[in-house]
Amino acid sequence: MGTWQKVGSVDDLADDAPLSVVVGDVEVGIYRVNGKLYAIEDVCPHQYALLTQGFVEGVNVECALHGAVFDITTGKCLKEPGGRDLRTYEVRENGGDVEILVE
Ligand code: FES
């Protein structure tokens, strides 16, 4: 089931500027790609770097530290040294708020 938790406002989010939020004790990156919201783990699995501080290009985000690339829409690791796919989260816009489904 889970509950929807407000983590920010859509006004904080731009196509080229994702949002980093903390849900429970997990850092989550929220992106808007082609008008749709996506949420993925924000900490790169390789070493500690926030992917929201990396480079967004289309549906991909590249880690600023060593260049691992992930698909924002699926969490899939497309280029090493990412090491593994990212966890994805359900995210929605609700009356100007950005909400994440917390299990
Ligand atoms: S920390 Fe992200 S690629 Fe190394």
Side-chain angles (χ1 to χ4, degrees):
M1 284 289 288
T3 51
W4 290 95
Q5 182 178 316
K6 179 184 173 182
V7 293
S9 159
V10 281
D11 295 337
D12 303 333
L13 200 60
D15 285 359
D16 55 354
L19 192 62
S20 181
V21 301
V22 177
V23 181
D25 55 359
V26 181
E27 283 152 301
V28 177
I30 299 170
Y31 300 77
R32 183 161 56 208
V33 178
N34 297 326
K36 200 168 178 306
L37 297 182
Y38 297 93
I40 53 177
E41 266 180 274
D42 200 19
V43 177
C44 182
H46 178 228
Q47 288 177 10
Y48 188 89
L50 292 181
L51 294 167
T52 46
Q53 292 176 4
F55 311 104
V56 177
E57 201 165 325
V59 298
N60 298 339
V61 61
E62 179 182 340
C63 181
L65 219 48
H66 310 103
V69 176
F70 301 90
D71 185 323
I72 293 165
T73 66
T74 62
K76 200 159 187 47
C77 177
L78 302 175
K79 187 174 161 216
E80 296 300 336
R84 64 168 172 80
D85 297 343
L86 301 173
R87 180 165 175 208
T88 61
Y89 299 85
E90 298 259 3
V91 60
R92 73 179 183 187
E93 182 182 339
N94 186 16
D97 294 339
V98 175
E99 297 180 338
I100 286 198
L101 187 61
V102 179
E103 301 300 329

